[in-house]
Amino acid sequence: MLDFREMLRLSYDVHLSYRDIARALKTHHSTVSRCLARFATAGGTWPLANTVTDHDLQRWMHPQPLGRPRTRPEPDWPRIHADLRRYRQLTLQQVWSEYKEAHPEGYQYSQFVTRYRNYVKTVDVVYRKRYHPADQMQVDFAGDTLPIYDRRGRVIQRAAVFVAVLPYSSYTFVGVYPDQTLASWIRGHVEAFTAFGGVPRMVVPDNPKPLVIDVRGDVVLHPTYQDLGRHYQCGLVPGRPRKPRDKAQAENHVLIVERWILMALRHVHCQSLGEAQERVAALVERVNQRPFQKLPGTRHTRWREEERPALRPLPPQPYVLAEFRQARVGPDYHVHVDHGAYSVPYTLVGETVTVRLTAATVECFVDHQRVASHPRATRRGTWSTRHEHMPPHHQAMAKGWSPDHFLRWAADIGPHTRDLIAAILATGPIPEQHYTRCRGILGLAKTHTPAVLERAAERALHAEVQTVKAVKIFCEAVAAEPAPPRRRAAHGNTRGPAYYAAESPTRPASQGE
């Protein structure tokens, strides 16, 4: 761009010729002649006033041509930008064509594209986020896979590559797993925590279907993933859909892994997942030991000196993959899961409980409170019953009913009740077939009272009946009878009826006699 102020100074103060000014300013002498003539025509004076700006000089030296509009209709850049982001098939060429149809005097295509790109620079401003030690762990699966070969060189499996990074130090963990299922996601998290030597404040994954059930409203995480967060006491904050910048470090390190690890193994034929993991681990170590380009040290030194001391300690035991299901408690106070039956407290019959299954245990929860725990059955049709989950009469049955048990129970009520139970047990050669009747009769002591049952048992023995129904009728009859009158204790000062029946010799006769 010509320095018009210098051109005017050389002409008015130094009095150089057009050619000398042109050589000094590296331009043509006709340009100098034309600009000075336009300055004089515009009424300019030298020296310039303090209010004259470079824009004013530019306007004087290069006035707008006559007959052309000075301004052109500006496109609706926000709407155009939104449409281009919403419709993948839409192009700038098509948008410009629509703009020219509406405004024939508008910008040509090259200017239209240039102005749109300038607008995008003002809209898509990137915020450079600063990370803190032990604040986040970002995770993702690489888009490329790692082939596993057989001995003949044929691909038999394509292993998934899991990437976890601590954004502050950029320390990276890479795992190789058979797929991208929930089990592989959980295993990747557990092994990453172990490799980092601690737990960050929160974990930022993508929105994969194995981990996130719903993202249209409130984010609903898979129960197993929530259980992982509770075990390690860390927050789980998935990134927004179609917002890769929410986990920019994970995206960046996925690219690093694909370039520096997967490409380095492109000619290596790994024959198992274990071999692939060993080769990947060696290359990851090289990546973590590579010096930074703009920072001192390496990923490893920054993690070891600054980030690992700030990580939360690992729990005593690593997380074990758990599966959650909903099950209804049956009338036998058991839940049936995977062809096995597991008891819960009998008071929960008919309720729905949450069942947590691991490879070794089965746990039942109600309102996030554990109510039962059992070893997981390994054989089909296995029943696991806790004694404390049974109702009292079932507990007695589980302890082992016997004739002596019922006789002792009846003796605590009374002798007639014991005789009645003994008579029932003596009926027939097999006493076990009368246990239910004995339990029904003895249970009447709870409905009425032991004293009522004792009197009813006396009447049942006299009537020679032994059924629960008959004893129950006797109990109701006894309970309906009025209580016998209380006898007063005799003593020397009490006059009996004989005293009033016989006349006393000292008693005076009445007038009517």
Side-chain angles (χ1 to χ4, degrees):
M1 181 177 178
L2 284 175
D3 189 347
F4 296 114
R5 291 180 184 271
E6 182 65 12
M7 180 187 297
L8 295 173
R9 188 187 70 82
L10 294 177
S11 175
Y12 286 97
D13 289 346
V14 185
H15 305 288
L16 294 181
S17 65
Y18 293 160
R19 294 183 182 273
D20 292 337
I21 295 175
R23 283 193 295 269
L25 298 180
K26 308 298 181 182
T27 187
H28 198 270
H29 63 87
S30 62
T31 302
V32 176
S33 174
R34 188 167 52 251
C35 288
L36 292 177
R38 290 174 179 173
F39 176 75
T41 303
T45 60
W46 184 263
L48 296 174
N50 295 332
T51 59
V52 177
T53 63
D54 291 341
H55 180 72
D56 296 332
L57 289 176
Q58 179 75 17
R59 182 165 45 84
W60 290 344
M61 303 300 185
H62 297 288
Q64 293 289 337
L66 298 176
R68 298 183 62 184
R70 294 189 176 185
T71 58
R72 299 182 180 182
E74 195 72 14
D76 187 359
W77 297 122
R79 181 185 61 82
I80 293 174
H81 184 62
D83 288 346
L84 289 172
R85 297 187 66 177
R86 180 178 180 182
Y87 304 105
R88 300 175 58 183
Q89 299 84 358
L90 191 63
T91 63
L92 271 174
Q93 179 74 35
Q94 185 176 356
V95 174
W96 174 77
S97 299
E98 296 173 354
Y99 165 74
K100 286 293 288 184
E101 290 179 1
H103 306 283
E105 72 281 8
Y107 297 109
Q108 297 301 319
Y109 181 69
S110 59
Q111 277 295 315
F112 184 87
V113 172
T114 300
R115 298 179 78 86
Y116 172 71
R117 289 176 178 172
N118 292 335
Y119 169 78
V120 170
K121 291 179 182 179
T122 64
V123 173
D124 291 345
V125 180
V126 177
Y127 171 70
R128 183 70 65 179
K129 185 174 182 179
R130 298 180 61 185
Y131 296 99
H132 303 284
D135 184 64
Q136 288 188 19
M137 180 180 80
Q138 298 181 8
V139 296
D140 199 1
F141 269 96
D144 295 341
T145 57
L146 186 61
I148 306 298
Y149 298 85
D150 61 8
R151 295 183 179 181
R152 297 182 180 180
R154 297 177 299 184
V155 177
I156 59 175
Q157 184 182 6
R158 291 198 171 273
V161 181
F162 176 83
V163 180
V165 59
L166 298 174
Y168 176 78
S169 63
S170 295
Y171 193 70
T172 308
F173 166 81
V174 181
V176 181
Y177 306 110
D179 47 39
Q180 296 187 28
T181 58
L182 176 64
S184 297
W185 276 100
I186 297 300
R187 182 180 173 188
H189 280 69
V190 173
E191 293 184 356
F193 290 142
T194 304
F196 294 151
V199 182
R201 188 175 67 92
M202 64 179 179
V203 179
V204 182
D206 204 345
N207 284 275
K209 290 183 179 179
L211 301 184
V212 181
I213 299 175
D214 184 17
V215 296
R216 289 171 293 181
D218 294 335
V219 175
V220 179
L221 301 178
H222 194 281
T224 300
Y225 197 40
Q226 294 182 11
D227 194 42
L228 171 80
R230 289 191 294 267
H231 182 81
Y232 285 100
Q233 295 296 313
C234 64
L236 304 174
V237 187
R240 294 170 295 174
R242 296 180 296 278
K243 298 292 183 180
R245 290 174 183 167
D246 288 353
K247 54 179 184 62
Q249 288 293 321
E251 298 287 342
N252 183 36
H253 281 74
V254 164
L255 181 60
I256 292 174
V257 168
E258 291 176 345
R259 287 178 176 175
W260 292 98
I261 297 178
L262 298 185
M263 288 298 100
L265 297 175
R266 65 186 184 276
H267 298 308
V268 178
H269 285 193
C270 300
Q271 297 184 355
S272 66
L273 287 174
E275 180 185 355
Q277 181 63 59
E278 291 178 1
R279 292 183 179 274
V280 167
L283 294 174
V284 172
E285 185 64 22
R286 291 172 55 182
V287 171
N288 287 329
Q289 294 290 354
R290 184 179 295 118
F292 289 121
Q293 294 183 355
K294 299 181 180 180
L295 295 174
T298 64
R299 291 177 172 85
H300 184 272
T301 57
R302 196 169 187 182
W303 161 75
R304 182 188 61 198
E305 297 173 1
E306 300 182 43
E307 191 147 26
R308 185 172 65 175
L311 292 171
R312 298 178 182 178
L314 292 168
Q317 299 294 331
Y319 178 74
V320 178
L321 179 64
E323 179 183 0
F324 288 83
R325 300 183 189 176
Q326 299 293 320
R328 184 176 293 276
V329 182
D332 56 359
Y333 50 89
H334 284 69
V335 293
H336 297 261
V337 181
D338 286 347
H339 310 293
Y342 306 91
S343 68
V344 298
Y346 71 95
T347 55
L348 297 176
V349 169
E351 300 290 337
T352 299
V353 299
T354 301
V355 183
R356 180 179 183 269
L357 299 100
T358 66
T361 62
V362 175
E363 298 173 292
C364 299
F365 293 84
V366 175
D367 293 335
H368 303 285
Q369 301 294 323
R370 189 173 68 176
V371 295
S373 178
H374 301 267
R376 188 163 185 175
T378 57
R379 297 177 57 186
R380 186 184 183 94
T382 302
W383 286 67
S384 179
T385 306
R386 297 288 187 188
H387 181 78
E388 59 272 15
H389 295 163
M390 301 178 179
H393 57 281
H394 286 192
Q395 293 182 13
M397 182 184 298
K399 292 179 181 179
W401 284 351
S402 65
D404 291 339
H405 167 73
F406 288 105
L407 291 175
R408 289 193 300 269
W409 187 359
D412 293 337
I413 298 175
H416 298 294
T417 305
R418 185 187 183 284
D419 293 342
L420 177 61
I421 296 299
I424 294 173
L425 293 173
T427 305
I430 303 176
E432 286 81 0
Q433 63 184 352
H434 305 298
Y435 286 171
T436 303
R437 191 194 309 176
C438 293
R439 186 169 60 87
I441 292 175
L442 295 175
L444 294 174
K446 298 179 180 179
T447 307
H448 301 281
T449 62
V452 170
L453 178 58
E454 174 67 9
R455 294 176 60 189
E458 181 181 4
R459 297 184 180 185
L461 288 172
H462 182 73
E464 297 182 353
V465 293
Q466 299 175 349
T467 63
V468 178
K469 183 177 181 180
V471 178
K472 183 178 180 181
I473 293 174
F474 286 140
C475 288
E476 294 173 351
V478 171
E481 293 178 353
R486 294 179 57 187
R487 291 186 176 183
R488 303 179 64 180
H491 51 82
N493 297 326
T494 302
R495 300 174 183 176
Y499 172 81
Y500 296 97
E503 289 189 6
S504 174
T506 59
R507 181 182 176 187
S510 61
Q511 296 179 358
E513 294 180 352

